[in-house]
Amino acid sequence: MAATAISIISISSSSPFTPKSQCFLKHNNKLHHQIPLSSFTTTALKTSKTTTTTTLSTRRLSCSASASVSSSSTLPSALLFDCDGVLVDTEKDGHRISFNQTFQERELGVAWDVELYGELLKIGGGKERMTAYFNKTGWPANAPTSEQERKEFVASLHKQKTELFMALIEKKLLPLRPGVAKLIDQALSQGVHVAVCSTSNEKAVSAIVSFLLGPERAEKIQIFAGDVVPRKKPDPAIYLLAASTLGVEPSRCVVVEDSAIGLAAAKGAGMKCIITKSGYTADEDFVDADAVFDFIGDPPEERFDLAFCGSLLEKQYVS
């Protein structure tokens, strides 16, 4: 029987990755193999009705932050970042703390511990998160009873929480994750659109971009956040809006996410998606991701760069 060609993605790097670092690579939308980056090889699969054989290919892709991207290299039309957990690991010691401080100041008798908040993060959006929690556990005694008043009540809690969170960001108490500024600078220098697409409040996202990435970068980065779309992640609406606004094809966009709901949104929009795991998402299911890393990374611990993002747009086949 003739073997069926399966599309593969290859990865290697001239950067000195740590031997323990591993990346998950996407194969034919279903199959993943865990490949140590220290091996710098590609596993190509051939299948037939009766046999499955594995061959090794030494086809290599340069992936160095210090190497310039040649004019012939494939580049994404847009690089789209989630915010919380991707730009900054904000959830446990940022948003959660701000929610709890709000609950305390409003005398609601509610506190979200680390484990509970991790479960609540499966719900996209802070207002939606609070509503789901109160619906399940019971609304506070001092909360209104009508549906419309409860919406307004939750909105007021979220506004107060956002102000507290922004104060943390303005004090720069939460740092950027490794490699974020590097990757954004590479994209901007090559004329690639950069945007941040988040379910978080627009003011909070803008504060992160302005205070942590700096005003020079911030003025070149578009933000799509909060209630800019009626349906939040895992719905793909925010990524489709970003592509439409930027005037690019979704298939030419590469998304950097950290969660399963963000991954679902990116893939639902028809985009490539790289996962950089965060504190709360390390054990989530990323089987549909195009690649999975622990973080982006700066040299000498770089995990990937703009050239690698572009390589995801190039389909390679093994006959």
Side-chain angles (χ1 to χ4, degrees), residues 220-297:
K220 301 173 185 176
I221 298 172
Q222 286 199 244
I223 293 173
F224 303 88
D227 298 322
V228 69
V229 289
R231 299 177 304 282
K232 297 183 178 179
K233 302 174 187 177
D235 192 280
I238 196 163
Y239 284 121
L240 292 173
L241 174 64
S244 175
T245 303
L246 295 172
V248 298
E249 290 294 325
S251 61
R252 302 296 302 172
C253 297
V254 174
V255 175
V256 184
E257 272 281 359
D258 75 309
S259 68
I261 65 171
L263 170 62
K267 301 308 289 183
M271 300 178 178
K272 299 294 184 182
C273 186
I274 300 171
I275 292 292
T276 56
K277 296 179 180 180
S278 63
Y280 270 119
T281 67
D283 297 325
E284 291 187 9
D285 182 1
F286 299 125
V287 69
D288 291 326
D290 295 283
V292 178
F293 296 92
D294 46 3
F295 51 81
I296 299 170

Side-chain angles (χ1 to χ4, degrees), residues 31-52:
L31 183 62
H32 277 58
H33 283 275
Q34 191 172 10
I35 303 173
L37 289 180
S38 56
S39 68
F40 306 130
T41 60
T42 298
T43 301
L45 302 180
K46 293 183 179 181
T47 63
S48 69
K49 290 185 179 180
T50 57
T51 61
T52 299

Side-chain angles (χ1 to χ4, degrees), residues 139-189:
W139 285 77
N142 56 354
T145 57
S146 74
E147 183 177 351
Q148 182 57 40
E149 287 178 323
R150 283 180 171 177
K151 286 183 179 180
E152 294 170 359
F153 174 72
V154 167
S156 70
L157 292 177
H158 196 256
K159 180 180 179 181
Q160 184 173 340
K161 171 259 170 187
T162 299
E163 291 171 354
L164 293 170
F165 176 78
M166 288 175 64
L168 291 176
I169 297 301
E170 290 172 8
K171 294 175 184 177
K172 297 185 178 180
L173 297 177
L174 299 171
L176 287 172
R177 293 193 70 192
V180 167
K182 172 213 71 178
L183 186 57
I184 288 175
D185 286 343
Q186 289 177 350
L188 293 175
S189 69

Side-chain angles (χ1 to χ4, degrees), residues 101-109 142 153 156-157 160:
Q101 188 174 344
T102 300
F103 298 153
Q104 183 178 8
E105 292 179 2
R106 298 288 283 269
E107 299 181 345
L108 302 184
N142 56 354
F153 174 72
S156 70
L157 292 177
Q160 184 173 340

Side-chain angles (χ1 to χ4, degrees), residues 83-84 165 196 198 200-210 223 225:
C83 181
D84 300 303
F165 176 78
V196 177
S198 173
S200 290
N201 180 278
E202 191 275 336
K203 289 183 178 180
V205 177
S206 294
I208 288 174
V209 172
S210 296
I223 293 173

